[in-house]
Amino acid sequence: MRKKKIGPILLSGLIIGPILGSGIIILPPLIFRTIGDYALVAWLLTMIVSFVFAAVFGRLYIRFPGDSGAAQAVEQALGKPFRNLGAMFLIIAVCLGPIAVLSTASDYLSLWTGKDSPFILLALLMLVYAGVSMSITSLGRLSLILSSSITVLLVSGALHSLLFARGRIDFSTPFQLPAFGYSLLLLFWCLVGWEVIGNYTGEVRQPKKTIHRAIIFSCLVIAVVSLTVAAAVQWVDPEKLHVPVSGKLDLILSSLFGSRAKPLIALITAALCLSTVIMVIGGVSRLIAAQADKGIFPAPLAYRNKKGVPVAALSVMFSVHLTVFLLAELRLITLVQIIAIANTFFLGNAFLGLVAAFRLLEEKWIRWSSVFLGIGLLSLLIFTAKWVLVAIVGMTVWTWLRTVHARHPASSIRKKEH
């Protein structure tokens, strides 16, 4: 049975919601509290860098499309051991991260319903696996509907509040470089996610045209939503809305939606978190299947159903996520620890992708952009937990030694003989 493939619109549906993620809910108020009137400048700089990040990985995926995503390019640039290292980085991150992301959605839904229950998180996890079990076309349509709805609600609410509840527009806040730099560091997380898109490129038609168009369209939509929401948070006057300052994003929706703003924010947050988790789990399940096809993982993990869904890999991932959920509920692992581990491995995988882009793509602007972004990712790794950093460095060094041994087996044998 021929597997259906998706075009630029459905691929955009898989990109927009997940890249916006829960960050579009959490970060605008946080950045404004940190640097005041310079918040929008920080967002604008981040969007420019985001375009560059997307362009680098987009070019990489056009040249190396397939379910393996960035791993295939990493193998071409650095060798098979580093391909497997990058794949493991991403798999470990996605085995942990989704529970933390879904916990954010659960918290917002709990605030709306007034009930704090682990069953909300468990129900969200079930919804995620119902989503990733769909065919790629159905999954793309679902993501497109969620992304479109979120975009319309956030942009319309932000524009309405700017038109009818706008306060002062100036730069009276004193500029403080350390605070501005810290805000850029927080906003750098908006870039993470583009590297996972590559795992879907084996299921798009006309990869060069589709990937190029989807990335341009997605970048524009993400920029419009992010900058509009950031401007509304910065310039809306709460007194004109007659609502208390909550520190949350429901402020900018109050102008248009009134008392329905809080439940809407809860639903938007849940939809964004679901989109993000569906994307990363769907992408990594395809990566696991591709690794099984190559003999890296057990062959049964390569099994796909008639819709092309890697159900064997999804079954294993569901078991892992259920275990992480139970460990978190039993307080044997905290959400902070989960986030720290997942973020570090996400960054490690993205860094390897940038190294591959630097080595494989000839354009000078791509290579310099890869260097700039790579330095940024390394600077973020400095702030991670030391034991996680030691683990990731240890895995990298071990992989490098394996690569050296594989490239110079004869010299290794001569050394043993002497």
Side-chain angles (χ1 to χ4, degrees):
M1 180 178 179
R2 191 182 171 204
K3 187 165 61 175
K4 291 184 179 179
K5 296 195 172 187
I6 59 175
I9 298 299
L10 292 187
L11 183 58
S12 298
L14 289 170
I15 295 173
I16 295 169
I19 297 295
L20 286 173
S22 56
I24 194 61
I25 305 295
I26 298 167
L27 287 176
L30 177 61
I31 300 302
F32 180 60
R33 287 197 300 270
T34 304
I35 54 176
D37 297 321
Y38 292 92
L40 194 57
V41 177
W43 275 98
L44 183 60
L45 289 174
T46 302
M47 288 301 102
I48 293 171
V49 175
S50 180
F51 286 0
V52 177
F53 197 87
V56 170
F57 276 92
R59 294 298 293 271
L60 203 61
Y61 298 144
I62 287 171
R63 185 165 171 182
F64 299 97
D67 289 343
S68 297
Q72 186 175 344
V74 170
E75 179 179 4
Q76 185 76 16
L78 301 171
K80 190 173 181 180
F82 275 97
R83 168 205 166 93
N84 296 334
L85 177 68
M88 283 307 302
F89 281 171
L90 188 55
I91 291 167
I92 291 170
V94 176
C95 281
L96 294 169
I99 295 300
V101 175
L102 292 178
S103 179
T104 301
S106 177
D107 289 344
Y108 269 81
L109 290 173
S110 295
L111 287 173
W112 173 34
T113 61
K115 296 179 181 179
D116 186 11
S117 170
F119 291 109
I120 295 178
L121 199 157
L122 190 59
L124 290 172
L125 186 61
M126 297 294 186
L127 281 175
V128 166
Y129 275 91
V132 292
S133 298
M134 297 178 178
S135 66
I136 188 65
T137 50
S138 299
L139 182 57
R141 290 191 192 102
L142 173 63
S143 296
L144 182 63
I145 291 169
L146 290 176
S147 299
S148 302
S149 302
I150 291 162
T151 298
V152 169
L153 286 171
L154 288 177
V155 172
S156 60
L159 288 175
H160 192 274
S161 61
L162 283 169
L163 288 171
F164 298 101
R166 188 174 64 250
R168 61 179 178 82
I169 299 177
D170 57 27
F171 286 88
S172 59
T173 306
F175 180 78
Q176 296 179 329
L177 185 59
F180 190 80
Y182 177 68
S183 296
L184 289 177
L185 186 64
L186 292 175
L187 287 170
F188 211 91
W189 294 109
C190 296
L191 308 183
V192 177
W194 286 104
E195 71 278 11
V196 183
I197 303 299
N199 299 105
Y200 289 97
T201 54
E203 298 180 61
V204 300
R205 58 176 179 266
Q206 297 180 304
K208 184 176 182 178
K209 185 185 294 185
T210 295
I211 295 168
H212 181 70
R213 290 180 177 177
I215 285 179
I216 290 176
F217 179 73
S218 299
C219 281
L220 291 174
V221 172
I222 290 166
V224 168
V225 175
S226 300
L227 295 176
T228 307
V229 169
V233 168
Q234 183 167 326
W235 290 328
V236 165
D237 184 356
E239 292 184 1
K240 291 185 178 181
L241 295 173
H242 306 292
V243 296
V245 179
S246 65
K248 296 191 184 314
L249 210 62
D250 54 303
L251 171 69
I252 69 166
L253 297 184
S254 298
S255 171
L256 184 59
F257 300 105
S259 60
R260 294 185 292 274
K262 283 189 177 181
L264 271 176
I265 281 294
L267 291 173
I268 288 171
T269 304
L272 284 168
C273 291
L274 285 170
S275 296
T276 302
V277 175
I278 286 172
M279 180 194 75
V280 296
I281 290 178
V284 168
S285 66
R286 285 161 173 79
L287 173 60
I288 291 172
Q291 289 290 89
D293 278 331
K294 288 182 172 291
I296 308 300
F297 292 154
L301 289 177
Y303 176 74
R304 296 170 183 258
N305 63 15
K306 292 180 179 180
K307 298 177 183 178
V309 178
V311 288
L314 285 174
S315 299
V316 172
M317 292 187 72
F318 178 74
S319 301
V320 173
H321 287 138
L322 197 56
T323 302
V324 174
F325 165 75
L326 292 173
L327 290 174
E329 286 301 314
L330 294 171
R331 304 291 191 271
L332 296 175
I333 186 171
T334 67
L335 288 177
V336 173
Q337 290 172 327
I338 292 172
I339 292 168
I341 299 169
N343 283 342
T344 304
F345 283 100
F346 269 127
L347 288 173
N349 175 67
F351 181 77
L352 288 177
L354 290 171
V355 173
F358 177 81
R359 298 197 66 176
L360 298 175
L361 302 177
E362 295 80 14
E363 298 93 332
K364 286 186 177 180
W365 73 269
I366 290 279
R367 304 189 79 184
W368 281 109
S369 298
S370 300
V371 170
F372 167 73
L373 293 168
I375 292 171
L377 293 184
L378 285 178
S379 68
L380 287 178
L381 286 173
I382 295 171
F383 295 92
T384 194
K386 290 182 180 179
W387 69 270
V388 182
L389 191 57
V390 168
I392 204 168
V393 169
M395 291 173 68
T396 304
V397 170
W398 182 73
T399 302
W400 176 74
L401 291 173
R402 285 188 61 202
T403 304
V404 171
H405 178 76
R407 288 177 179 174
H408 307 286
S411 60
S412 301
I413 293 170
R414 283 197 297 271
K415 286 179 181 179
K416 288 181 181 180
E417 289 175 350
H418 289 292

